[in-house]
Amino acid sequence: MYIHNNIMSTNGLSMTAIFAERALLPNGWARRVRIVVGDDGRIAEIAPNSQEISASPTLKRSCLVPAPSNLHSHSFQRAMAGMAEHRSAGRDDFWSWRELMYRFLERLTPDQIEAIAAMVFVEMQESGYAAVGEFHYVHHQPDGVAYDNIAELSERIFAAAAQTGIGLTHLPVLYTYGGAGQKPLKGSQKRFGCDIDRFNRLCTAARTALRNSTPDCAMGLAIHSLRATDPEQYRILLDRYGGEPIHIHAAEQHREVEEVEQWLGARPVAWLLDNMNVDERWCLVHATQMDVSETQGLARSGAVAGLCPITEANLGDGTFNGRMFLDHEGRIGIGSDSNIRISLSEELRQLEYSQRLYYRARNVMTEDGHSTGQALLLRSTEGAAQAIGRDSGALETGKFADMVAIDTTHLAFCGLTEEQLIDGWVFATDDRVVTDVWSAGRHCVINGQHVQREEIEGRYRHTIRLLADRI
């Protein structure tokens, strides 16, 4: 159920044309840009300085920019947003928040997981994301017993993606142990639990099911963390899935770093760099607890640092050393992790502001003389595309048509030059200026609202009412 304005190409294929007064192309801003999207969801033609033909069925927008992918999401956690903002006795930190999260997920059914994921994907697209990397670790029933279909909950994520039209890289997570040193799973962790054989069966079933999804959906591999797995498992997985995107939670908390160092004899990121051939396939999520050598080594590896600034601030994770990372040619992308707040512009803003506080300086995440907002957007768009293995990341012929239109007639833009437009979006307003989003050419957000919002929001509200009655 997506709206297209179709034209016919010379070879008879149906195509969609969008005309923008300005668009942010790889070589900078261009005026009067006509973009043609083929039925395969890829950009077939980009023509700057085009004449608008009023008789053609061309969509007209004021400003088009590449739409990033959200590289890290646990969609089910959206339903508990706001429930953990009451101070508990003693020290309230990531680990106390995790206990609440565990209790919450004990109640989730497959139908509820699907309904929550669909709402999350709607909110992501309405904020400007075109695709998502779903870091999916809730695999089984609350007692740890597999569903009759071992990929039941993965298929619920696929269904949510299909309904919303968001691009998806599904990242099933290996989670075997309850803590560093091969501690046993306990309580709600049993929903996550897989040894290698069980994980392989789950991945095989999920791949079979994914073939029925949209063509731009894919799968990668996720290792939950060093503390939840072990070195022998990594080697087995990389032998089997080594050609796919590889994601891992890395060094999010001081306690995690200390426990891993005590167990493996090295800090988490240092251990990965020394033992796992970390390269362009990898995305290390969070990595907020790196020392100087780890920061520089990760940057040089070609891997993407997956940053989730709102969640990292909410959970007290710490601050990523962004300027040093960029100085060593590091690659970044952003995600929404716990989904307590789903906002593309706020993630970018929080990332920059965290660096300003860290360095006590301004305009940290860009080069001299360049726009900070535009640099953040473009770096994140390119990095996230790499991280989830998606052929997007720029408005460029042949790439997926992942595009976002913003309303530059909004009050926040009235005094800004073209080079300041993304700064206006990131620092002076919010995602209400997003008017349209295309995910691989699917026109999913129109005039600021997802085309399926009414139905999906109704189902989500019903789901939350049921959950609230049980909590």
Side-chain angles (χ1 to χ4, degrees):
M1 187 176 176
Y2 305 103
I3 295 178
H4 296 274
N5 285 57
N6 292 329
I7 59 175
M8 297 302 293
S9 68
T10 55
N11 60 9
L13 295 177
S14 178
M15 310 186 93
T16 301
I18 302 103
F19 181 88
E21 289 295 337
R22 56 172 61 85
L24 186 54
L25 304 182
N27 59 351
W29 288 101
R31 292 295 187 98
R32 302 184 63 80
V33 180
R34 185 172 183 265
I35 297 179
V36 178
V37 181
D39 270 356
D40 59 359
R42 296 180 181 273
I43 297 174
E45 177 187 344
I46 299 178
N49 304 312
S50 295
Q51 293 299 313
E52 181 181 354
I53 303 173
S54 59
S56 72
T58 303
L59 290 170
K60 303 174 183 66
R61 296 296 183 265
S62 63
C63 181
L64 277 179
V65 300
S69 299
N70 180 326
L71 59 66
H72 189 72
S73 164
H74 312 300
S75 60
F76 77 92
Q77 292 177 14
R78 172 66 179 88
M80 60 177 282
M83 294 182 182
E85 307 308 317
H86 184 90
R87 185 177 178 86
S88 58
R91 180 177 174 82
D92 202 350
D93 57 15
F94 168 86
W95 306 99
S96 56
W97 171 87
R98 190 179 73 159
E99 290 304 314
L100 174 65
M101 183 267 287
Y102 284 170
R103 294 196 299 273
F104 177 79
L105 69 84
E106 287 177 353
R107 297 166 169 81
L108 293 177
T109 67
D111 283 347
Q112 291 166 345
I113 286 172
E114 180 181 334
I116 295 165
M119 190 71 245
V120 167
F121 296 162
V122 163
E123 291 183 299
M124 286 178 184
Q125 289 173 296
E126 288 181 345
S127 79
Y129 294 109
V132 61
E134 181 66 14
F135 196 97
H136 177 74
Y137 57 82
V138 184
H139 299 308
H140 312 302
Q141 300 180 63
D143 58 2
V145 174
Y147 290 96
D148 290 341
N149 171 10
I150 195 171
E152 172 72 29
L153 297 185
S154 286
E155 291 190 23
R156 297 308 185 112
I157 301 300
F158 301 162
Q163 184 180 12
T164 60
I166 198 168
L168 173 69
T169 296
H170 188 59
L171 300 162
V173 176
L174 177 67
Y175 195 125
T176 308
Y177 302 111
Q182 301 176 318
K183 293 181 175 67
L185 297 171
K186 60 181 182 179
S188 299
Q189 291 176 326
K190 293 177 181 177
R191 292 202 82 168
F192 318 151
C194 286
D195 59 18
I196 288 290
D197 290 341
R198 193 185 209 191
F199 185 70
N200 284 337
R201 292 197 304 274
L202 189 154
C203 289
T204 297
R207 287 171 200 283
T208 299
L210 193 64
R211 294 188 190 118
N212 298 321
S213 299
T214 52
D216 56 304
C217 287
M219 273 183 62
L221 165 69
I223 300 165
H224 181 271
S225 56
L226 288 179
R227 58 185 161 83
T229 47
D230 67 45
E232 182 59 28
Q233 290 182 322
Y234 314 147
R235 296 183 179 98
I236 294 171
L237 289 178
L238 293 179
D239 283 344
R240 179 160 184 170
Y241 304 110
E244 299 177 349
I246 305 163
H247 289 225
I248 186 171
H249 288 143
E252 184 176 1
Q253 291 283 322
H254 277 301
R255 179 174 134 187
E256 176 183 17
V257 173
E258 292 168 356
E259 290 177 352
V260 169
E261 189 168 18
Q262 184 177 9
W263 175 41
L264 296 177
R267 295 168 58 87
V269 175
W271 191 93
L272 287 167
L273 291 171
D274 289 343
N275 293 276
M276 287 289 107
N277 188 29
V278 174
D279 58 18
E280 291 84 357
R281 300 166 298 167
W282 287 74
C283 176
L284 273 63
V285 182
H286 304 310
T288 53
Q289 308 298 330
M290 294 193 295
D291 63 19
V292 170
S293 63
E294 288 174 309
T295 301
Q296 296 176 357
L298 181 60
R300 290 192 295 265
S301 74
V304 174
L307 307 174
C308 306
I310 293 174
T311 294
E312 288 157 6
N314 181 264
L315 297 181
D317 287 347
T319 303
F320 183 76
N321 191 343
R323 186 63 255 171
M324 178 182 289
F325 192 73
L326 295 186
D327 285 344
H328 289 80
E329 300 184 356
R331 307 173 191 185
I332 63 170
I334 59 168
S336 57
D337 196 349
S338 71
N339 296 301
I340 187 169
R341 173 78 173 119
I342 300 172
S343 170
L344 170 56
S345 61
E346 287 185 30
E347 294 286 3
L348 297 174
R349 183 186 316 143
Q350 177 66 31
L351 174 56
E352 170 63 23
Y353 282 176
S354 71
Q355 299 304 300
R356 295 185 184 191
L357 291 169
Y358 186 88
Y359 287 100
R360 299 181 184 180
R362 298 191 71 253
N363 295 306
V364 176
M365 297 293 283
T366 191
E367 307 304 324
D368 292 350
H370 289 263
S371 156
T372 302
Q374 186 168 311
L376 286 167
L377 177 69
L378 294 180
R379 286 183 188 276
S380 299
T381 302
E382 182 178 354
Q386 174 184 320
I388 70 169
R390 186 171 176 83
D391 192 10
S392 59
L395 299 185
E396 186 175 308
T397 302
K399 291 188 178 295
F400 283 126
D402 288 355
M403 305 181 292
V404 55
I406 57 175
D407 177 14
T408 54
T409 67
H410 187 278
L411 181 66
F413 300 109
C414 66
L416 301 182
T417 66
E418 192 168 68
E419 288 71 24
Q420 296 170 326
L421 290 177
I422 307 302
D423 293 324
W425 179 17
V426 172
F427 297 109
T429 183
D430 55 35
D431 296 328
R432 285 175 293 182
V433 301
V434 172
T435 63
D436 299 79
V437 171
W438 290 262
S439 296
R442 297 179 293 273
H443 197 177
C444 300
V445 175
I446 301 174
N447 296 325
Q449 182 168 309
H450 194 282
V451 296
Q452 295 280 350
R453 172 174 265 277
E454 185 175 351
E455 177 184 344
I456 290 170
E457 182 179 326
R459 186 181 175 194
Y460 177 81
R461 287 181 179 276
H462 175 70
T463 293
I464 297 303
R465 285 194 294 269
L466 291 177
L467 286 170
D469 288 343
R470 298 174 61 189
I471 295 174

